[in-house]
Amino acid sequence: MIDLSRYLNQDIELNTRTGYDKYGKPETSITYIKARLVYANRQDRGLQAKPLDYDVEVWVYPYTIVAVDDTITADNLTFRVIEVQILRDRLGNIHHKKLLCQKYV
């Protein structure tokens, strides 16, 4: 497998949802992570075999905590995570995570 420290070298802003305020609006916390952003307009079949249209793939370290509906900001664009895929090495250990994201309007 590839060496992640040489490949995941972009600084990306990750906004994770921490809860909701009393009005029902999501509260977020901002963290900066090292990742690799790959622009690709593609369609993938999700876990339930439904088609997913995504604009970018974001590869992150395996210890990065991210969930669906979190947002990522890179290159002055904001993307919403629509699926988190866990990729493993030959021994079954988590090698990295791949996030499929759409442009956030």
Side-chain angles (χ1 to χ4, degrees):
M1 296 298 263
I2 59 175
D3 181 24
L4 289 179
S5 62
R6 297 182 75 199
Y7 190 71
L8 305 178
N9 58 4
Q10 294 175 317
D11 290 320
I12 294 176
E13 180 181 308
L14 174 64
N15 299 315
T16 56
R17 187 178 57 231
T18 58
Y20 295 94
D21 64 3
K22 63 182 180 179
Y23 301 108
K25 297 194 181 214
E27 295 177 340
T28 60
S29 68
I30 298 172
T31 56
Y32 292 93
I33 60 172
K34 291 283 192 181
R36 169 66 70 183
L37 185 89
V38 179
Y39 287 93
N41 289 332
R42 295 186 184 156
Q43 188 179 61
D44 188 24
R45 296 285 176 182
L47 296 175
Q48 299 171 349
K50 295 180 181 176
L52 294 172
D53 293 324
Y54 61 94
D55 298 315
V56 295
E57 293 178 1
V58 181
W59 294 28
V60 297
Y61 283 102
Y63 54 79
T64 304
I65 298 172
V66 64
V68 173
D69 287 335
D70 290 346
T71 58
I72 291 173
T73 303
D75 300 333
N76 295 325
L77 296 171
T78 303
F79 301 96
R80 184 177 63 92
V81 177
I82 58 171
E83 185 174 333
V84 178
Q85 297 178 351
I86 297 174
L87 299 165
R88 299 181 181 272
D89 60 7
R90 284 183 250 146
L91 301 175
N93 301 321
I94 298 175
H95 187 261
H96 65 279
K97 294 179 184 177
K98 181 168 72 170
L99 314 175
L100 304 180
C101 304
Q102 290 178 336
K103 285 185 183 177
Y104 190 69
V105 181

